[in-house]
């Protein structure tokens, strides 16, 4: 039996949910297909559980730097309580509430594995052997996200390594945890499990942590992890993994012959799209590939197929995927209803330009690292004439009030021709909440002359903006 809908959405994570919300608001009928849990990776194995594990670690660390609390904040975290709270945050890996939300929109939810079966058609194989054929009158949106990549290493499959999923859902604290990878997942999980009692060894192929941010961000995070006992080794590569019988201690063998032992090993070494088994070959696309899209999130060369969120590789971040979903949903609705024209001009309502110019990200380590826009090196690579303005955050009154012995750093990257901010990076306790002001400045292309009149409250951490502007004025390029 074939069932007809205006739109079929593959994947009911936060990206798919937002596409559903937008097209339903326009009056279109929609089917959404989910093979696992409604709510997706973010709700159950990424953003929500990881931040619930990190919050106690950061709160305790900050309390240790506050007068009157320092002597009371050196007890071990109650790991059982932290893990129980994590379980509650993810609804004990049950999706009743999220599924009820989908139903409340009027969308039809199909549980099972969905595959494209030619243009505008999706076949769903249900968990009980049931089969549904869904036809989309206007659009199919692929919102299937990404999965962790494990390298091809001798012994690794039989060693049962952790990926980000196991790292955020483990029900016990390993005595020794080896983390391979110095990106966001690696440093966040090193922070969380170290605070819960694991002895952490962090193995990084490159020369520093958080390589996509300004170098000072990774340096601050590395110094804090090392101060708390983590063994950080940079410039090393893993050659093999040994774990007899898949249980017991695991040995990570490094190139050159050295080795590290642990009770668990986490590989945080990249992601790939979940497109290997969704029928891409039936419409002339390569299974397992990233899907290239235009700024309305329509797959290049197709007038009916959209790829939203991680699968298009623009920005593998939940908030960016949800932003794309709002854009895509609005574009689908306009094209389907003929209610006006699709506006894909820069900053138009159907154009995902923030994926190019102003992607914000917070790394919830201790200290937090937050960035938006271009690093100095990336800005210089575009050929712009730019200048970096740096600030030691101990000069900000709000920093000392926030925590005694506060350590942090801020940088804004200025386009000297236009005198606008094209990038900003902050590292220090509590600075994640400062990032949106930087995002507004970069996205809005606000001239520095106007930012002078955006007065930060005293004494808050946001006074960093005033100090950055003063530093730019005092050392501005004379040309």
């Amino acid at each position: 039996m074939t069932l007809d809908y205006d739109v079929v959405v593959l994947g009911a994570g936060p990206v798919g949910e937002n596409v559903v919300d937008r097209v339903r608001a326009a009056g279109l009928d929609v089917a959404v297909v989910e093979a696992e849990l409604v709510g997706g990776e973010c709700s159950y194995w990424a953003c929500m559980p990881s931040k619930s594990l990190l919050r106690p670690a950061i709160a305790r660390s900050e309390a240790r730097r506050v007068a009157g609390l320092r002597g009371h904040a050196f007890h071990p975290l109650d790991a059982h309580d932290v893990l129980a709270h994590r379980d509650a945050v993810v609804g004990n890996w049950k999706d009743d509430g999220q599924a009820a939300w989908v139903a409340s929109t009027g969308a039809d939810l199909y549980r099972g594995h969905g595959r494209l079966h030619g243009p505008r058609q999706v076949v769903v194989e249900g968990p009980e052997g049931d089969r549904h054929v869904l036809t989309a009158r206007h659009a199919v949106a692929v919102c299937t996200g990404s999965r962790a990549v494990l390298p091809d290493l001798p012994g690794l499959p039989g060693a049962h390594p952790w990926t980000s999923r196991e790292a955020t859902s483990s029900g016990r604290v390993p005595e020794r945890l080896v983390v391979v990878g110095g990106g966001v997942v690696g440093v966040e999980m090193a922070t969380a499990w170290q605070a819960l009692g694991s002895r952490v060894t962090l193995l990084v192929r490159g020369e520093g942590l958080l390589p996509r941010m300004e170098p000072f961000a990774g340096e601050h995070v590395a110094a804090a992890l090392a101060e708390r006992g983590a063994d950080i080794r940079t410039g090393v590569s893993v050659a093999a993994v040994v774990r007899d019988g898949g249980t017991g201690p695991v040995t990570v063998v490094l190139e050159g012959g050295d080795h590290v032992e642990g009770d668990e090993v986490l590989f945080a070494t990249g992601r790939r799209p979940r497109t290997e088994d969704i029928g891409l070959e039936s419409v002339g696309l390569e299974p397992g590939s990233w899907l290239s899209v235009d700024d309305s999130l329509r797959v290049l060369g197709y007038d009916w197929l959209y790829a939203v969120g991680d699968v298009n590789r623009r920005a593998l971040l939940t908030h960016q995927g949800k932003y794309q979903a709002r854009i895509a949903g609005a574009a689908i609705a306009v094209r389907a209803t003929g209610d006006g024209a699709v506006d894909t001009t820069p900053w138009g309502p159907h154009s995902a330009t923030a994926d190019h110019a102003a992607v914000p990200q917070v790394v919830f380590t201790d200290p937090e690292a937050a960035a938006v826009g271009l690093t100095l090196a990336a800005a210089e690579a575009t050929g712009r004439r730019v200048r970096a303005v740096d600030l030691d955050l101990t000069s900000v009154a709000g920093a000392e009030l926030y925590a005694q012995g506060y350590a942090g750093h801020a940088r804004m990257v200025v386009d000297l021709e236009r005198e606008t901010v094209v990038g900003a990076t902050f590292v220090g306790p509590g600075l994640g909440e400062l990032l949106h002001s930087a995002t507004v400045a970069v996205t809005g292309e606000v001239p520095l002359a106007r930012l002078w009149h955006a007065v930060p409250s005293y004494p808050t951490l946001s006074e960093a903006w005033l100090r950055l502007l003063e530093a730019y004025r005092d050392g501005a390029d004379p040309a």
Side-chain angles (χ1 to χ4, degrees):
M1 178 180 179
T2 299
L3 302 165
D4 293 333
Y5 291 90
D6 290 319
V7 181
V8 176
V9 178
L10 273 178
V15 175
E17 288 176 331
N18 272 267
V19 174
V20 168
D21 185 56
R22 290 296 85 211
V23 296
R24 283 297 300 142
L28 301 179
D29 58 334
V30 57
V32 59
V33 182
E34 177 53 53
E36 294 186 294
L37 296 176
V38 178
E41 197 81 9
C42 177
S43 297
Y44 304 102
W45 300 286
C47 324
M48 299 306 290
S50 67
K51 303 317 170 275
S52 69
L53 292 174
L54 285 158
R55 179 57 192 153
I58 293 170
R60 182 182 64 173
S61 179
E62 292 180 349
R64 288 175 174 177
R65 297 191 291 266
V66 175
L69 288 175
R70 285 174 296 191
H72 305 280
F74 283 88
H75 297 293
L77 293 175
D78 184 334
H80 180 270
D81 192 35
V82 172
L83 297 180
H85 176 66
R86 184 271 318 272
D87 293 352
V89 165
V90 301
N92 291 295
W93 290 277
K94 295 180 180 178
D95 65 358
D96 297 357
Q98 302 252 28
W101 178 85
V102 171
S104 75
T105 68
D108 290 340
L109 172 64
Y110 291 86
R111 292 188 181 272
H113 191 90
R115 295 179 182 86
L116 290 166
H117 189 65
R120 294 184 172 85
Q121 194 167 85
V122 173
V123 175
V124 184
E125 302 290 345
E128 305 300 326
D130 48 320
R131 185 174 187 270
H132 301 281
V133 179
L134 312 178
T135 297
R137 286 183 283 269
H138 300 294
V140 174
V142 176
C143 308
T144 48
S146 64
R147 69 173 82 247
V149 173
L150 286 172
D152 184 14
L153 291 172
L156 186 59
H160 303 298
W162 280 7
T163 67
S164 53
R165 281 200 169 193
E166 290 78 17
T168 58
S169 62
S170 175
R172 65 177 185 86
V173 180
E175 183 177 343
R176 300 167 299 171
L177 175 64
V178 181
V179 179
V180 181
V184 176
V185 172
V187 296
E188 285 192 346
M189 291 298 93
T191 299
W193 290 107
Q194 180 173 266
L196 286 167
S198 294
R199 297 200 308 274
V200 171
T201 301
L202 187 57
L203 306 176
V204 184
R205 179 182 295 178
E207 295 307 313
L209 308 185
L210 301 176
R212 297 192 177 188
M213 288 189 169
E214 299 282 9
F216 65 79
E219 291 166 5
H220 274 261
V221 172
L225 282 168
E227 182 182 352
R228 296 178 179 91
D231 179 6
I232 301 175
R233 307 186 192 186
T234 59
V236 298
S237 295
V238 176
V241 179
V242 178
R243 192 175 206 171
D244 292 338
T247 60
V250 58
T251 300
V252 179
V253 181
L254 306 180
E255 290 185 358
D258 198 4
H259 67 276
V260 179
E261 290 193 353
D263 296 290
E264 298 291 351
V265 58
L266 161 63
F267 276 81
T269 50
R271 301 188 70 79
R272 68 184 181 197
R274 288 177 175 269
T275 59
E276 69 277 9
D277 189 22
I278 60 168
L280 290 183
E281 67 280 2
S282 74
V283 295
L285 292 168
E286 182 182 351
S289 64
W290 302 98
L291 300 175
S292 298
V293 296
D294 63 20
D295 280 345
S296 69
L297 291 312
R298 191 161 56 173
V299 175
L300 298 179
Y302 296 77
D303 64 359
W304 58 273
L305 184 62
Y306 292 73
V308 193
D310 283 10
V311 290
N312 62 41
R313 209 181 192 178
R314 285 186 160 208
L316 277 65
L317 296 162
T318 297
H319 48 273
Q320 291 298 121
K322 291 166 69 174
Y323 158 77
Q324 291 179 12
R326 296 189 292 270
I327 299 286
I332 290 169
V334 167
R335 288 177 173 132
T337 63
D339 185 17
V342 174
D343 180 3
T344 55
T345 58
W347 312 118
H350 312 120
S351 185
T353 50
D355 294 336
H356 307 305
V359 176
Q361 182 173 24
V362 179
V363 185
F364 292 87
T365 44
D366 176 31
E368 290 178 342
V372 64
L374 301 174
T375 63
L376 175 61
E380 289 175 336
T382 68
R384 290 177 172 91
R385 193 165 65 92
V386 295
R387 176 176 166 232
V389 182
D390 288 284
L391 176 70
D392 181 342
L393 286 164
T394 58
S395 65
V396 176
E400 185 62 20
L401 292 172
Y402 193 92
Q404 291 181 315
Y406 191 100
H409 193 93
R411 168 177 286 179
M412 71 175 183
V413 180
V414 177
D415 182 322
L416 293 172
E417 301 294 339
R418 304 181 67 195
E419 286 208 315
T420 58
V421 181
V422 295
T425 301
F426 307 92
V427 60
L431 289 180
E433 295 298 338
L434 194 58
L435 187 62
H436 192 60
S437 57
T439 304
V440 171
V442 174
T443 303
E445 301 175 351
V446 182
L448 297 190
R450 290 296 304 146
L451 286 178
W452 270 110
H453 301 285
V455 181
S457 298
Y458 180 88
T460 65
L461 290 170
S462 61
E463 200 177 13
W465 277 108
L466 173 59
R467 302 300 171 221
L468 286 167
L469 292 169
E470 288 176 336
Y472 176 78
R473 176 200 62 193
D474 294 342
D477 190 316

